[in-house]
Amino acid sequence: MALAAKGCVEVSGTALTGMAGGPAYSATEFKCGAKLLLVLQRQTGREGNLPVWSTIDQLTIAKPSPRHELLQPCYCSSSRFPDDAVFAIGRMVVQPDGSYRSDNVVKAWRVDIKHERLAAIPVDGVLCALDPAD
C-alpha cells in the first residue's frame, strides 16, 4: 500500500460486513506520526489467492490526548446506528467486575456501506465495551 511509503505504519485492520451479495470491505488504521489515518477499502478483485483492495474513503484523526485511542467496531456500537460498524475516539476504563467500558468518547464514525464512506456520528449513544473473557 502506498501509505507505508509515506511514513505510515499499519496498526490494525478490521473486516467489515457488507451488503448481502456485495463486495467485501475492510477498515485499516495507520499511525502517521502523531496522527491516525482510518482507511475504508472495498475488495475489487483477486490476484491469485490474494484479494485486491481499493481505497474508497479515508479520515485523518488527531487524538486529544495520549490516553485516547481509536476504539474498534468489534467493541463499539451506537444506539442510533445499531446495524453499522462504529469506530470511536475515547478511553477504556476498567470497571469493578474487570470489564472495560468507554469513557470520554469525543468522536465517532460509522461505516456507511450504502454510500461507501466513513460518516461522523454523534457520540451520545456510542458505547464501547470489553468483557473480561475477551
Side-chain angles (χ1 to χ4, degrees), residues 8-128:
C8 298
V9 177
E10 184 175 333
V11 177
S12 67
T14 302
L16 301 168
T17 304
M19 295 168 69
Y25 293 89
S26 73
T28 306
E29 174 188 1
F30 291 90
K31 182 165 178 36
C32 306
K35 296 191 183 278
L36 298 175
L37 188 63
L38 184 59
V39 177
L40 179 62
Q41 298 178 311
R42 176 185 352 105
Q43 185 177 342
T44 54
R46 295 194 75 75
E47 214 172 271
N49 290 333
L50 299 175
V52 174
W53 297 95
S54 295
T55 297
I56 53 177
D57 199 9
Q58 67 184 37
L59 296 170
T60 301
I61 302 166
K63 298 189 307 181
S65 80
R67 293 197 59 212
H68 283 82
E69 57 188 313
L70 182 63
L71 305 172
Q72 302 289 324
C74 57
Y75 306 117
C76 297
S77 63
S78 168
S79 60
R80 292 181 182 210
F81 302 97
D83 297 328
D84 293 344
V86 174
F87 289 88
I89 293 287
R91 296 185 308 220
M92 295 295 272
V93 176
V94 68
Q95 304 298 307
D97 66 358
S99 65
Y100 287 83
R101 298 283 179 267
S102 54
D103 178 53
N104 195 19
V105 172
V106 294
K107 290 186 180 183
W109 302 267
R110 71 182 181 97
V111 178
D112 181 349
I113 294 294
K114 183 177 179 183
H115 297 103
E116 294 190 326
R117 65 186 181 106
L118 298 162
I121 61 173
V123 297
D124 60 314
V126 172
L127 175 66
C128 303

